[in-house]
Amino acid sequence: MANATSTKTVQYPEGTMHLPAVGLHFFNYTDSKGRFISQMFQGKSAKSVGYAFRTEDSRFKWIAQQVESAEYRIEANARYKAEAAEKKAEMLATLKVGQILHYSWGYDQTNAEFYQVIERKAKTVVIRQIGRQVRDTSDMTSMVKPARDQFLAKAPMTKLITSHGVKMDYGIASPCGDDEEFYDSSYA
């Protein structure tokens, strides 16, 4: 069966003011009580948000605020996407074969694990868990650092590279150095 795509188009009321650059549509009218009404449609939504105003001037000020807000959101989204792309490019440049990754997880305790990149692909890395050097600091807590090339018996994993590191099951594994220490705890 072929993949069906929706060709449904929104039917706006006649006289609707369309501002496609910001994805807004305004249907303005005066009701039977003399109130100035504006129905705002966002994007391709057939649902509108309606407001009543005492004066036509207050209605157009509100419309101007909605347009300004939409322009700001569009600019902020573009900035966010550009920054995320830049961070991801930096992360792609950082993650090379041999890079050590730190990953912490846990609810009642902090479990620190280390991984080493063994293969690099376009958008993913193949990693293997490595051992760690432990320095006890008190009862049930310690500081740990990675033990390069001390691979554990666990099978390699292919993981996605994000702008902050490597996506793991419960968070992100971040690049770290061989001598960096991290907090680790355990409860009996």
Side-chain angles (χ1 to χ4, degrees):
M1 183 169 159
N3 215 0
T5 57
S6 176
T7 57
K8 182 180 175 184
T9 58
V10 178
Q11 296 295 318
Y12 299 107
E14 189 175 324
T16 298
M17 176 175 48
H18 300 283
L19 303 172
V22 292
L24 298 177
H25 311 273
F26 296 94
F27 177 59
N28 301 316
Y29 62 95
T30 304
D31 71 3
S32 61
K33 296 179 182 176
R35 297 179 300 178
F36 297 92
I37 308 296
S38 185
Q39 284 183 273
M40 179 178 70
F41 299 86
Q42 293 183 338
K44 296 180 181 178
S45 176
K47 294 182 180 180
S48 67
V49 177
Y51 292 97
F53 300 91
R54 292 179 189 219
T55 66
E56 190 170 9
D57 185 51
S58 61
R59 174 173 62 186
F60 283 111
K61 283 182 182 175
W62 177 80
I63 290 171
Q65 289 172 340
Q66 299 308 307
V67 170
E68 184 179 335
S69 179
E71 288 171 342
Y72 176 80
R73 279 194 307 275
I74 290 167
E75 290 170 11
N77 283 341
R79 278 193 310 273
Y80 172 78
K81 286 179 181 179
E83 289 170 6
E86 185 178 322
K87 285 180 182 178
K88 187 163 184 181
E90 289 173 11
M91 189 57 63
L92 287 168
T94 299
L95 292 176
K96 299 183 181 341
V97 172
Q99 176 68 53
I100 303 293
L101 303 170
H102 166 253
Y103 175 53
S104 287
W105 60 276
Y107 178 72
D108 286 339
Q109 63 191 43
T110 302
N111 301 291
E113 296 177 353
F114 298 99
Y115 295 84
Q116 190 169 330
V117 176
I118 59 171
E119 184 181 343
R120 169 71 201 291
K121 298 178 182 178
K123 295 181 180 183
T124 60
V125 288
V126 178
I127 59 175
R128 278 190 65 193
Q129 189 170 6
I130 58 173
R132 58 194 194 158
Q133 301 170 15
V134 179
R135 180 175 59 87
D136 289 330
T137 54
S138 66
D139 192 31
M140 296 188 291
T141 65
S142 58
M143 297 301 289
V144 295
K145 61 183 182 178
R148 179 179 288 281
D149 298 323
Q150 303 298 311
F151 295 104
L152 301 180
K154 297 183 179 179
M157 301 179 289
T158 300
K159 297 290 183 177
L160 181 67
I161 299 170
T162 71
S163 57
H164 298 288
V166 175
K167 185 174 168 97
M168 302 295 280
D169 292 339
Y170 301 104
I172 298 290
S174 303
C176 70
D178 289 58
D179 293 324
E180 284 187 67
E181 285 192 317
F182 298 91
Y183 177 79
D184 185 75
S185 65
S186 60
Y187 297 107

